[in-house]
Amino acid sequence: MKLDVLQNPNLEDNAFLLSSSTQNIPPISQNIFKRNQRELESLSEYFGGESGGNFSFLSGAFLELFLSLHTCGHKIALALSNHQQAYDAYKLIKNFIPITPILPSTQSGIIESIEEFNQCDVFIIPLVNQDLLTLNPIEKLMEQREDAIFIIDISYGVRFSLTPKLTSKTIFLCEAESFGFLRGNGVFLSYKEYLPYFPRTRYVDHLYAKLLERIKSCSTPLKDHKEEFFSLFQDSNISLFAPLSNSLTNTLALRFKGIKARNLLQSLVLEDIEAINGQECLFGFFSPSFVLQEMGYSELEARELLSVSFTHFDPKIAKILEKHYIQLKTLEI
């Protein structure tokens, strides 16, 4: 069973990405360029926008965005609970251009307020915080700064059936990887006035239509089992890094006190259960959640996280997790 559906979806239909005879669309095939532009516009219109373009979700793309915003005279505030590659880009550039960091509250697990950041006019905030998988109150935050531009990563929320709408003050980022496409593919969606913030689009043939198709297939609301899931644990040392009331449907930031989640992940392989500690774990780095550590948790505490997301609920899974946790505690691993 997969307990990392949001972060590590199954690859489904990627054949089209490798089906072209050349890497780029033939430049004289203007009909193909026009079709891709129409498909991109249709994807943006689904969220109430006008246009958009490619956004790879790699650190280079975030660096380009930061530099472009800075060159245009904007003052940037960045939630450090964004995508891991945005966090890496922030670390690379923070000593060269001013970027104000924002963090979720350790109590609520969400970004509660931005009123104190009145010097900033662009806020880059995810709809769903990485690793914690908690929902930020975007509308409430936007009300606090009606004059600002909000760049919002909607990937996880849309994957689990949320349908946010673009406004004249918002830009959406959507990672195709969350929908089962290969890493390095994604889009930004916006009104045309924001196109200059991004490099000119190199079309990926058929991506926009297939991504829209996948997004629509995820639009049916999921039945939420997160509270039922957590209620099955009996060991008092199993807790949460963020309250369930602020968590996305069928997600939990589980905390297994006193062990390293990597050891738990290794033991779960024997049960054919897939899970992760966070995006650093997902990308294969031997380090715990960067989000928790930025929030003030120690490295050892951050290693206690299991970032859970699922679409199908099986009550037996909680019992299996608890059994393996108790075994690791007993062995003092």
Side-chain angles (χ1 to χ4, degrees), residues 15-288:
F16 74 94
L17 291 171
L18 303 174
S19 62
S20 299
S21 58
T22 59
Q23 180 178 356
N24 298 300
I25 299 170
I28 61 172
S29 302
Q30 290 301 304
N31 59 323
I32 300 179
F33 285 97
K34 290 177 181 178
R35 172 175 53 77
N36 276 276
Q37 180 61 31
R38 289 195 301 270
E39 292 173 353
L40 180 58
E41 290 171 354
S42 295
L43 176 57
S44 187
E45 287 167 3
Y46 181 78
F47 295 100
E50 295 176 334
S51 191
N54 290 333
F55 193 82
S56 70
F57 276 82
L58 301 177
S59 59
F62 285 105
L63 283 171
E64 286 182 314
L65 178 58
F66 298 158
L67 287 168
S68 177
L69 293 169
H70 176 68
T71 302
C72 292
H74 290 294
K75 305 297 183 184
I76 307 167
L78 174 73
L80 300 188
S81 52
N82 267 289
H83 194 279
Q84 186 268 349
Q85 290 288 284
Y87 179 67
D88 269 10
Y90 162 76
K91 290 189 295 181
L92 287 170
I93 207 170
K94 66 179 181 178
N95 293 327
F96 300 97
I97 67 172
I99 297 180
T100 302
I102 306 174
L103 288 166
S105 161
T106 54
Q107 285 75 41
S108 64
I110 61 173
I111 296 169
E112 297 177 334
S113 174
I114 57 170
E115 289 179 321
E116 66 270 32
F117 303 110
N118 54 19
Q119 77 277 17
C120 299
D121 64 348
V122 172
F123 291 84
I124 306 176
I125 299 176
L127 180 58
V128 178
N129 293 302
Q130 284 294 338
D131 298 355
L132 294 169
L133 304 181
T134 47
L135 272 166
N136 287 315
I138 297 295
E139 291 184 4
K140 175 184 173 183
L141 298 176
M142 291 181 66
E143 288 172 359
Q144 295 173 11
R145 290 300 309 278
E146 295 181 351
D147 59 325
I149 297 169
F150 284 77
I151 301 177
I152 305 165
D153 179 357
I154 62 170
S155 312
Y156 287 174
V158 173
R159 175 64 180 84
F160 271 14
S161 76
L162 299 182
T163 53
K165 293 299 179 183
L166 283 160
T167 72
S168 61
K169 288 290 186 178
T170 55
I171 300 168
F172 286 169
L173 306 179
C174 188
E175 186 180 27
E177 183 180 345
S178 298
F179 296 86
F181 297 102
L182 292 175
R183 179 169 297 162
N185 290 291
V187 293
F188 73 89
L189 306 169
S190 69
Y191 287 86
K192 292 179 180 178
E193 63 189 281
Y194 297 123
L195 295 181
Y197 290 156
F198 298 85
R200 287 187 296 174
T201 288
R202 170 191 173 273
Y203 295 115
V204 180
D205 202 17
H206 300 298
L207 172 64
Y208 317 107
K210 289 187 176 293
L211 180 56
L212 178 57
E213 179 183 318
R214 197 68 53 81
I215 287 171
K216 288 180 176 179
S217 73
C218 296
S219 62
T220 303
L222 299 170
K223 186 175 181 180
D224 196 357
H225 292 284
K226 61 175 179 277
E227 292 188 6
E228 184 179 358
F229 190 106
F230 186 66
S231 70
L232 295 172
F233 294 115
Q234 296 180 345
D235 193 307
S236 60
N237 288 312
I238 301 175
S239 60
L240 296 162
F241 278 102
L244 294 178
S245 57
N246 291 333
S247 297
L248 183 64
T249 297
N250 289 342
T251 67
L252 306 91
L254 288 173
R255 183 174 187 176
F256 293 88
K257 189 174 182 180
I259 68 166
K260 294 179 180 180
R262 180 171 293 275
N263 295 330
L264 179 60
L265 295 175
Q266 290 172 336
S267 67
L268 291 177
V269 171
L270 301 174
E271 304 279 1
D272 198 26
I273 295 174
E274 299 177 30
I276 62 169
N277 172 250
Q279 269 212 332
E280 293 279 7
C281 172
L282 173 67
F283 289 170
F285 304 128
F286 289 97
S287 54

Side-chain angles (χ1 to χ4, degrees), residues 298-315:
S298 69
E299 182 176 324
L300 285 176
E301 289 172 327
R303 291 188 186 278
E304 297 171 344
L305 169 71
L306 200 68
S307 185
V308 170
S309 60
F310 58 91
T311 51
H312 302 289
F313 175 63
D314 184 348

